[in-house]
Amino acid sequence: MAMYGWSFHAPTPDDVGRLLRALSKHRYVVEVELGLHWAVDAALADAEPWSERARAFARIRSELDLGSRDERLWQPASLSEVTGALARLWGDDRAAESTRQRLSALLRAAGIARPPHLAFLSEPDDPPHPELVRCDWELLPVDELDMERHAGALQAMERAEEAVSASEPLYPEGPVLAEPELCDGAPGGVLCEDLVVWADGPYSYSDYVFRGVARAAKLEPPVGWHDLDEP
């Protein structure tokens, strides 16, 4: 199934925090999966809650290949832990710069090479490894939408006349957040590129949800694939 991207103009860490909160708490969302790589927790381990997370990882660290794709290298995180980590890494002060330097140093010490792409410009079909912050969601399948509560999305799909796999849930994926994004992505505390959220399934469904998310987060409407086709 094709994946489409929506670009959100969220230039500051506060904007990004509102975006992630609005999407994670949206009424169409039934599951939120957020996670932080061990290196992020370690880089922020001078403060709670990341210090406790880093201590938890330290107990199993010797069992793991730190540069692998072992899922134990990422720990589930709360929304506040993720937004707090991003706010610290994308800050515009000496503390933020020190945190970014620690993150890079930890990755090098673990034998993990820096991805070659520029911040927010990785290839969509070839994501870098490791991604350091994971943000994924699950939307209700079409056949579980309520005629009244979810009338907006149902009407949007009806207008679009799209083919729909009614029983399949949709899985929006957050932007790639690897070392280039976390360490170089917000010079002066301002993101250098818009954030892209990806989704499969009916385009009109995701588009409706993402536009509502942008309104709730007090951001400009996102730019989707179909918007690029308009004259």
Side-chain angles (χ1 to χ4, degrees), residues 86-109:
L86 293 176
R88 284 198 60 184
L89 285 159
W90 285 336
D92 183 26
D93 55 25
R94 290 183 180 178
E97 180 59 30
S98 295
T99 302
R100 294 190 288 266
Q101 291 175 357
R102 283 198 302 274
L103 176 59
S104 292
L106 286 161
L107 293 168
R108 296 299 89 75

Side-chain angles (χ1 to χ4, degrees), residues 1-4 6 142 145 152-166 170 199-209 225-226:
M1 186 174 292
M3 295 283 288
Y4 295 98
W6 281 259
V142 174
L145 297 180
L154 291 168
Q155 292 168 5
M157 285 184 283
E158 183 178 2
R159 289 193 297 270
E161 298 181 342
E162 288 184 89
V164 173
S165 296
L170 286 75
D200 57 3
Y203 179 95
S204 54
Y205 181 3
S206 295
D207 189 66
Y208 176 83
V209 170
W225 179 260
H226 290 185

Side-chain angles (χ1 to χ4, degrees), residues 12-224:
T12 71
D14 284 346
D15 293 329
V16 175
R18 294 200 309 275
L19 171 61
L20 295 180
R21 282 191 292 273
L23 182 48
S24 298
K25 297 180 180 299
H26 197 278
R27 69 182 185 279
Y28 286 77
V29 171
V30 293
E31 189 72 31
V32 181
E33 294 186 7
L34 307 175
L36 295 175
H37 190 260
W38 68 267
V40 174
D41 286 322
L44 276 65
D46 59 338
E48 292 290 357
W50 304 282
S51 56
E52 175 58 33
R53 294 171 56 84
R55 287 193 293 271
F57 178 76
R59 292 193 284 269
I60 63 169
R61 179 182 176 124
S62 62
E63 307 170 13
L64 305 176
D65 176 354
L66 298 182
S68 72
R69 298 179 184 273
D70 192 316
E71 284 299 313
R72 290 174 293 175
L73 298 171
W74 288 265
Q75 294 186 76
S78 68
L79 181 60
S80 62
E81 288 167 344
V82 168
T83 56
L86 293 176
R88 284 198 60 184
L89 285 159
W90 285 336
D92 183 26
D93 55 25
R94 290 183 180 178
E97 180 59 30
S98 295
T99 302
R100 294 190 288 266
Q101 291 175 357
R102 283 198 302 274
L103 176 59
S104 292
L106 286 161
L107 293 168
R108 296 299 89 75
I112 301 171
R114 180 186 175 90
H117 69 278
L118 298 177
F120 302 108
L121 296 178
S122 62
E123 291 294 329
D125 297 329
D126 187 22
H129 173 76
E131 295 185 52
L132 301 179
V133 179
R134 291 177 168 179
C135 299
D136 298 300
W137 301 270
E138 179 183 335
L139 301 183
L140 283 165
V142 174
D143 63 2
E144 293 185 20
L145 297 180
D146 181 86
M147 292 294 293
E148 294 184 2
R149 180 170 169 77
H150 306 119
L154 291 168
Q155 292 168 5
M157 285 184 283
E158 183 178 2
R159 289 193 297 270
E161 298 181 342
E162 288 184 89
V164 173
S165 296
S167 62
E168 294 185 3
L170 286 75
Y171 296 100
E173 299 176 3
V176 169
L177 295 174
E179 184 181 355
E181 287 73 29
L182 298 188
C183 293
D184 298 329
V190 178
L191 273 66
C192 59
E193 298 285 345
D194 290 347
L195 294 181
V196 178
V197 177
W198 300 85
D200 57 3
Y203 179 95
S204 54
Y205 181 3
S206 295
D207 189 66
Y208 176 83
V209 170
F210 292 154
R211 290 179 183 278
V213 165
R215 286 194 300 273
K218 299 181 181 179
L219 300 174
E220 299 173 7
V223 177

